[in-house]
Amino acid sequence: MESDEVMLTVRLTTAEHTLLRRLAHGHRGDVSEVVADALLDVLPTLLTQDTPRPAQQPARFAPYALTVWLPPELAELLPALATHLTRPPTPTAPTPTPCTALATALHLWLRQDPAHLAAGLHTLHGGRRRTRPTAA
């Protein structure tokens, strides 16, 4: 983990948390890396299609609060995504936050077939599984 990464927290259901951990384990990466990959994968969809708004997410009060670390370049996109997701603004809409934007993206990504997600991670990294660096 690099010191310039940004820490965010998202709420997950039990099933989402389990799937995310399995994907990270199968990819030999950590959960934060998989979340960053998920955001890269789903961001174009979120910006071009009508997607569920943060207030419509079923996991809004989910039992798991997962803290992830994102590269600053990805984290900087989240405020704009949060604003995009709350258009048109309504008086009852929650205030957009980077965490709600990340949660919306992650929930959308995790709704896909788990085999498709694992294959996508495999392809994204050139067919190689990630390996953690060993301490010298």
Side-chain angles (χ1 to χ4, degrees), residues 6-133:
V6 178
M7 181 179 70
L8 295 162
T9 302
V10 295
R11 303 288 306 183
L12 298 174
T13 65
T14 302
E16 290 169 334
H17 182 256
T18 300
L19 176 57
L20 191 57
R21 290 180 53 92
R22 283 184 184 156
L23 288 167
H25 179 73
H27 193 55
R28 293 189 180 152
D30 68 24
V31 171
S32 292
E33 292 169 337
V34 173
V35 170
D37 291 342
L39 184 58
L40 288 171
D41 184 39
V42 78
L43 195 58
T45 301
L46 285 169
L47 293 173
T48 60
Q49 296 179 2
D50 185 29
T51 56
R53 302 298 182 237
Q56 297 171 320
Q57 292 298 329
R60 188 169 162 201
F61 300 105
Y64 287 96
L66 177 70
T67 300
V68 296
W69 295 88
L70 292 179
E73 299 82 11
L74 275 178
E76 289 171 5
L77 299 173
L78 294 174
L81 178 60
T83 301
H84 175 77
L85 291 173
T86 56
R87 284 194 186 140
T90 62
T92 59
T95 304
T97 67
C99 289
T100 57
L102 180 60
T104 299
L106 192 54
H107 295 302
L108 181 65
W109 188 73
L110 288 170
R111 286 185 196 145
Q112 299 177 59
D113 175 48
H116 174 76
L117 296 176
L121 288 171
H122 185 74
T123 301
L124 182 64
H125 295 283
R128 295 177 283 116
R129 287 185 169 198
R130 285 190 181 166
T131 56
R132 294 179 185 209

